[in-house]
Amino acid sequence: MKIIRSVLFFLFLTCYFISFGQSVISGNITDESTGEALIGANILLVEIGTGTITDLDGNFKIELPPKAKQLKITYTGYEDQLITIADNTVFNIKMSAGKILDEVVVIG
């Protein structure tokens, strides 16, 4: 009898953690004008403070805790983007080039 109770308790506990566990979101980050993948773009969960970076194809995957509501996407030379997470689990993000800086000449 104790074994049956233990097994049932374990099953209920497992179902609880699965139903209220973290989901996974994924996506692809590309350049808006050329369509090329952005390697090493930063994806940050704003409320949590954790994140990930894109791979060689511009793809990313990140576990999404229940509290997370926004993604912040940054990449050097591009405008930062703040994306609200609704019911989407797959994102295709196009980054636009930021402000172009002037050339610096150093004479020694």
Side-chain angles (χ1 to χ4, degrees):
M1 188 69 170
K2 286 186 177 185
I3 294 174
I4 294 174
R5 269 194 221 168
S6 298
V7 169
L8 286 176
F9 176 75
F10 179 76
L11 287 175
F12 286 126
L13 189 63
T14 303
C15 291
Y16 174 79
F17 283 116
I18 290 172
S19 64
F20 293 104
Q22 300 175 342
S23 61
V24 175
I25 60 172
S26 61
N28 184 279
I29 300 178
T30 57
D31 181 281
E32 184 177 54
S33 60
T34 64
E36 291 182 19
L38 296 179
I39 301 167
N42 296 306
I43 300 96
L44 178 72
L45 296 168
V46 176
E47 294 82 8
I48 309 300
T50 61
T52 188
I53 61 170
T54 56
D55 63 9
L56 293 173
D57 298 322
N59 299 320
F60 70 92
K61 274 188 181 177
I62 189 167
E63 288 186 9
L64 184 66
K67 294 190 246 179
K69 304 226 187 307
Q70 289 185 324
L71 290 175
K72 183 176 183 179
I73 315 297
T74 59
Y75 193 74
T76 304
Y78 288 81
E79 303 256 343
D80 294 354
Q81 288 192 20
L82 195 60
I83 298 174
T84 302
I85 303 167
D87 294 331
N88 296 345
T89 57
V90 178
F91 295 91
N92 291 316
I93 302 162
K94 298 188 184 305
M95 302 281 290
S96 60
K99 189 169 122 176
I100 305 298
L101 300 176
D102 291 333
E103 182 178 325
V104 176
V105 178
V106 177
I107 300 173

